[in-house]
Each structure stands twice: as C-alpha cells, then as structure tokens.
Amino acid sequence: MQPSPTRMSTDGLVVRAAEWRDLDGLLALAQQAGGGMTTLKPDRDTLAARLETACASFAGSIAPLRRDYLFVMEDTLQNRLAGVCAIKAAVGLEQSFYNYRIGTLVHSSKELDVYSRMDTLYLASDLTGSGELCSLYLHPAYRHGENSKLLSKSRLLFIAEYPHLFPDRLIAELRGFQRPDGTSPFWDSLGRHFFKMGFDRADDLSSLDQKSFIAELMPRYPLYVALLPQEAQDVIGKAHQASVPARRMLEQEGMHFEGYVDIFDAGPVLQARCRELRAVRDSGLAQIDAREASSPNAAAPPSPQNALPMLISNTVMSRFRVIVNAAELTQSRGSARLHLSPQAQQLLECIPGDAVRCVALHNDYTEPLA
C-alpha cells in the first residue's frame, strides 16, 4: 500500500514506543527486511521476547543497562507500521560482544633496508558496555521526504531526554557490503574457513545470542589484511548499499568511524560520546502554546519564513512519541513556547501546557534550542 502522493511525507507519521499490539506488524517488517540484519530477524518468538523486554524497558521495571528500547513508526492515516528502530542500553553484558579492530603492525630490517606497515584485524571486545543504535528498517513505500530522518533521529531525541539511562559511549553497527545474491565477500574469504558454515547460519546464531562459538573458533592472533583476496579487502568498513544513507545521517549527527568492523561482513561500526550528539547538545524543552487557534489573541500558524522543521517529542517515557513538524519556537524570559496544531498534539498525546523536547530536523541549523 503506497502512501498518498498528496500527503506531506511525515503527515500522520509518529515514532513511538513499541507495544504488544505491534507484534504482527514487526514480523511483517522483519520479513521485508531480509537477511543481514542481526537484530531484526523474522522469527515470531524472538520478536515476542524482544517486545516483552521493550515493554518492561519503557515501564522502567528492569535495570537501566538491561533495557532494549524498541520503537515503531506508525502511519496513523493508513493504520500500519512503516518502520522500526531501537536502542540497546548496553551490549555485551550477558553475551560477549565481538568486533574486529583494524590495527597496524610494522616490519623492518635495517640490513635489507625494508620497512613495511601492514593492516591487521584484531578480535576485540573493546566496545562492551556501549549503548547501541540498532534494528533500523524503513518500509520501501516510505523511503522519501523526511521519513528516514524522523525514524533514525527519533532515537537520539530519546537519549537527549533521558541521558542518565545510557553509558557514555554509543555505537551503531551498520550492515556490511553484500553481493546481489546476498553473500558476503568478507565472510567467504575469512569467516567461512573457521566456522564451516554459511553467512546466514552464522548471522542467525549471533542474532540468537549464541555467540560463544565466535571465541571458540576464531583465531586470537592478528590477521593480516593483505593475505585476504582483494575483493574482501575492498569491503572492510564498507556499508551495505541500503545502509549508506543511514551512515551519512549518523555521521552528520556526530558519530564517526574509528576502525571497528563487524566480524561477519566487515560492516563499519560508528561511535560517539552521547554528550557530543547533536540532539543531546542542541535540543531543548519548550511548552506547548496554550492559546487556541480560535482565540482572538492566538498566534497565527507558523509562516513558511519562520517555521522550522523540527523533531518534537513528548517527555513521558512509557508512551514516548516523536513527530516532525514545521513549528515556530519563541523565547521569552528564559522559557520557550511552541505552537503546535491540534493534529500534532494528538500525535504526541499532549495538550497545551505540556512540555516537549525539540531540535531542528536538519543538522545545518546550528543554533542550539536549549
């Protein structure tokens, strides 16, 4: 079902905390996503268990570092799920979290006048305990306009509202390069020789947290990149074609590549300090303008010149919601006020006088709203 071409791209769309009623919709999205997404496998029991953890996370009934915040993008006009994304509060606390760290070894001989620098891959657990952005998937029918920004950046606004719930470091493992048939050049050249199984099987075991085989089977010594086939060398740190826009967006928000890659497909791992994320640094709280549109003293709807496309969230964790809205922010005597239409308030489940958190949607707007 395609969105109506006459709609603005984000009309009727809201990113919200996942609920039990979303199970069927999540399963459909996972099936659409296909292979390669370790944290979004099309298995009903696995998704049900994850939803149970997500509901407990938003309710605050489990320890902060055990939480898995799962969000869905809902098209309220079509009554369907359009996307999914998540934040794991901390990785590697129960099952080991492995990556390859790209390093360098130097070989030299004065007698032969030879000096060489060799790139190497080290099996590492350096990122254990980091928060993780994961499970990002947007249905193809919605990949236009500002929809991808709403889905991906909504998680950063959640972190901005609840920074005390997350560790200092945040990571995002992006899907690595795959051939058109879904196979991985990196896996075929390296992992397959140690694991004696296909890429999909190893990826499935990893998604089920059965990761002990990684430590048991992978070599502990550094692997020389130059010994791999050229096809495998070329994809180290290269994102899947479908993940390139997500990588660009996350880098614009303050994340960066520091030489860690996935052990299966060599996809890049981006990272950042949470406090350095644009949404954390530049977002601020505002109060919904209490003046009604019918009031003679009401503020006029924002004009195109003054309206700023903004990410706006409510501030209630158990029913957290984010929308994109063209809004005009006014500052007076140290407080900020935001005019929102009744439709926008309904999507946020807010009323006039409620506090909302907001940040400019586009990163080229650099003035902090705090």
Side-chain angles (χ1 to χ4, degrees):
M1 183 185 301
Q2 294 283 343
S4 168
T6 61
R7 291 169 52 186
M8 291 182 60
S9 64
T10 55
D11 283 354
L13 294 179
V14 60
V15 176
R16 58 170 175 80
E19 302 171 1
W20 270 112
R21 62 187 172 98
D22 298 320
L23 180 57
D24 289 338
L26 281 171
L27 181 59
L29 287 173
Q31 291 169 338
Q32 177 80 27
M37 291 193 67
T38 305
T39 60
L40 190 66
K41 291 296 184 182
D43 179 83
R44 190 178 187 87
D45 291 341
T46 301
L47 289 173
R50 191 168 185 195
L51 264 178
E52 182 178 11
T53 301
C55 291
S57 299
F58 286 114
S61 59
I62 57 178
L65 293 182
R66 305 290 178 185
R67 296 179 188 175
D68 182 3
Y69 302 98
L70 186 65
F71 305 89
V72 296
M73 175 186 276
E74 181 181 6
D75 183 343
T76 60
L77 301 183
Q78 303 278 359
N79 192 29
R80 64 179 292 193
L81 295 189
V84 58
C85 62
I87 316 170
K88 287 185 178 289
V91 296
L93 300 185
E94 295 178 351
Q95 292 283 340
S96 298
F97 187 80
Y98 293 105
N99 297 103
Y100 276 133
R101 174 170 52 84
I102 301 173
T104 303
L105 283 178
V106 175
H107 296 270
S108 63
S109 171
K110 291 182 179 180
E111 296 172 348
L112 299 177
D113 193 25
V114 172
Y115 177 91
S116 63
R117 293 166 55 90
M118 305 290 290
D119 288 337
T120 55
L121 298 174
Y122 293 86
L123 188 65
S125 298
D126 300 347
L127 302 181
T128 295
S130 303
E132 182 187 20
L133 300 178
C134 59
S135 307
L136 178 69
Y137 180 74
L138 182 62
H139 191 283
Y142 291 85
R143 293 176 187 173
H144 56 82
E146 310 290 13
N147 296 346
S148 59
K149 290 186 175 68
L150 167 60
L151 181 62
S152 182
K153 296 184 181 186
S154 62
R155 300 171 293 181
L156 305 183
L157 208 56
F158 184 84
I159 294 172
E161 180 62 25
Y162 306 104
H164 59 285
L165 297 178
F166 297 95
D168 184 51
R169 181 167 52 190
L170 183 72
I171 65 171
E173 275 192 323
L174 300 182
R175 192 175 357 176
F177 177 86
Q178 292 179 5
R179 303 184 185 98
D181 63 0
T183 58
S184 165
F186 185 79
W187 175 263
D188 289 345
S189 300
L190 181 59
R192 181 174 58 84
H193 298 292
F194 295 98
F195 290 84
K196 305 300 181 185
M197 64 181 72
F199 173 74
D200 289 339
R201 175 59 176 160
D203 198 46
D204 286 341
L205 289 173
S206 179
S207 71
L208 297 173
D209 285 336
Q210 299 177 18
K211 299 179 181 178
S212 59
F213 69 95
I214 297 174
E216 293 167 353
L217 297 177
M218 288 302 289
R220 289 290 181 172
Y221 46 81
L223 301 170
Y224 286 86
V225 172
L227 297 181
L228 297 175
Q230 191 62 48
E231 185 187 21
Q233 296 183 42
D234 292 343
V235 301
I236 295 175
K238 184 177 181 179
H240 189 284
Q241 182 178 359
S243 298
V244 171
R247 176 175 186 168
R248 186 182 307 115
M249 191 184 310
L250 291 173
E251 288 176 336
Q252 291 171 347
E253 293 296 313
M255 303 194 75
H256 48 273
F257 178 62
E258 289 195 0
Y260 289 87
V261 299
D262 181 78
I263 64 168
F264 295 141
D265 59 20
V269 180
L270 305 184
Q271 59 180 291
R273 302 295 178 186
C274 285
R275 63 180 178 273
E276 295 172 356
L277 295 168
R278 185 185 70 97
V280 176
R281 186 182 67 243
D282 294 349
S283 69
L285 293 174
Q287 190 177 50
I288 298 177
D289 198 325
R291 291 174 291 180
E292 298 292 338
S294 59
S295 167
N297 296 321
S303 65
Q305 306 94 289
N306 298 326
L308 178 66
M310 302 180 75
L311 277 173
I312 307 168
S313 75
N314 65 19
T315 58
V316 182
M317 186 167 68
S318 61
R319 53 182 184 86
F320 189 78
R321 287 173 163 251
V322 186
I323 63 171
V324 165
N325 193 262
E328 188 174 2
L329 188 73
T330 59
Q331 303 267 3
S332 177
R333 297 179 181 178
S335 63
R337 304 185 75 83
L338 198 68
H339 178 84
L340 287 178
S341 68
Q343 293 81 3
Q345 294 179 41
Q346 183 178 13
L347 285 173
L348 289 172
E349 295 186 351
C350 289
I351 59 174
D354 283 349
V356 292
R357 178 168 293 276
C358 51
V359 70
L361 177 65
H362 302 294
N363 65 295
D364 54 359
Y365 183 87
T366 57
E367 181 179 347
L369 299 179

